[in-house]
Amino acid sequence: MSGARPLRIGLSARLLHTPPKELGFPGKTLQYLEQSVAHWIMSHGALAYMMPTISADLAVERAAISMREYVAAMDGLVLQGGADVSPAGYGEEPMRPEWTGDRVRDLYEIELLWEFVIQGKPVLGICRGMQLINVACGGTLYQDILELNPGASAHRDEGLYDRFHHEIELEPGSALAALYPGQHCGRVNSIHHQAVRKLGNDLRVEARSVGDGIVEAIRWQGAGYLFGCQWHPEFHGDTPDLLGGGPIMAQFLAAAKASVR
């Protein structure tokens, strides 16, 4: 990118609606990002920008700034991980109170996602971000993998967090497999209890977990770049036995560069 401005990559914000008292923000909503994903973007020479919510019932009014203008200033979008996707987005009631998810964040991110697609700019979804892509395209989720798919393996260990790993199989002939030539399987972290159930419209599965077949990566078949992976490639770093995240970020940034007019 010598001689050109660095790419500007937007990061959807995580929302904390009820901050712990010790943080000192009673009655306020916090918007934040986890540093690993920003550093992953910046390590590839792009700039990372957190994109706060825009809503008519918040301090930033629609009349002040439009989503179209907001997205026009960016070259690509990363949907980061975090809270569950609300079952309301795919026509279900939460089976347990703790699976209610964050509907406010869902609506904000879905609007962001489609505005980036409309403007021909790439979107990369990580963990929750992949699940959100599936729901935005009309798909559904397992509210809890073990509850609704008893034959599946556990995909989360709260004690181990990102040190909990499993094998995935790359779908032959997929764009993801092309990023890792000669490699049919890979080892990734696993930090989720929800997963793709019914695949969304115009999406293709590009990876599954070995053993139980849980969907681990999806890609939109429409024009443009819309890809999601269930693992967190930003957490892999240089760990030799884990699937490197570099090819995924490089492909995403190449799509962002191609969209710059």
Side-chain angles (χ1 to χ4, degrees), residues 5-261:
R5 68 163 176 79
L7 293 169
R8 296 186 292 248
I9 303 303
L11 273 163
S12 61
R14 295 186 183 215
L15 307 183
L16 189 58
H17 299 286
T18 309
K21 185 182 298 183
E22 57 268 24
L23 292 183
F25 295 96
K28 303 300 182 182
T29 295
L30 302 187
Q31 303 191 12
Y32 66 101
L33 57 86
E34 199 282 324
Q35 71 174 5
S36 295
V37 67
H39 288 178
W40 183 44
I41 292 167
M42 292 187 291
S43 71
H44 286 76
L47 301 177
Y49 294 80
M50 191 184 76
M51 303 187 71
T53 56
I54 302 175
S55 175
D57 60 350
L58 298 178
V60 179
E61 297 289 345
R62 294 288 185 179
I65 185 169
S66 72
M67 186 64 75
R68 181 184 59 79
E69 292 168 332
Y70 205 4
V71 172
M74 298 289 113
D75 301 315
L77 172 68
V78 174
L79 300 168
Q80 59 173 324
D84 289 350
V85 174
S86 172
Y90 46 95
E92 296 183 10
E93 294 292 326
M95 297 171 62
R96 295 186 186 177
E98 61 266 33
W99 299 344
T100 299
D102 189 342
R103 186 62 174 155
V104 172
R105 181 177 171 187
D106 296 348
L107 293 172
Y108 142 73
E109 289 189 316
I110 288 172
E111 186 178 12
L112 267 181
L113 184 162
W114 288 123
E115 186 59 38
F116 271 88
V117 170
I118 288 168
Q119 293 193 28
K121 300 180 179 185
V123 178
L124 168 62
I126 298 170
C127 196
R128 167 200 158 87
M130 186 195 91
Q131 296 168 6
L132 189 91
I133 288 171
N134 190 62
V135 171
C137 290
T140 67
L141 304 177
Y142 290 112
Q143 289 191 38
D144 183 80
I145 296 169
L146 296 181
E147 181 81 17
L148 296 171
N149 191 351
S153 303
H155 283 253
R156 179 174 67 176
D157 185 311
E158 293 185 0
L160 291 174
Y161 191 56
D162 62 333
R163 293 178 290 112
F164 185 62
H165 305 144
H166 66 68
E167 296 286 329
I168 62 168
E169 184 175 10
L170 309 180
E171 289 290 316
S174 67
L176 181 63
L179 292 180
Y180 301 92
Q183 191 169 347
H184 305 296
C185 294
R187 193 164 182 80
V188 300
N189 57 50
S190 189
I191 317 172
H192 61 107
H193 78 104
Q194 298 190 318
V196 169
R197 189 173 193 175
K198 187 189 81 173
L199 192 64
N201 300 321
D202 299 319
L203 293 174
R204 174 183 176 176
V205 175
E206 295 209 322
R208 295 181 182 272
S209 60
V210 172
D212 59 14
I214 292 293
V215 175
E216 291 282 335
I218 56 176
R219 191 179 302 269
W220 192 44
Q221 299 304 289
Y225 179 105
L226 180 57
F227 170 77
C229 57
Q230 189 59 74
W231 65 95
H232 285 258
E234 74 275 20
F235 291 166
H236 282 185
D238 297 323
T239 307
D241 64 334
L242 297 180
L243 191 70
I248 293 173
M249 179 53 63
Q251 185 188 58
F252 167 70
L253 292 179
K257 186 175 182 179
S259 73
V260 175
R261 296 177 177 84

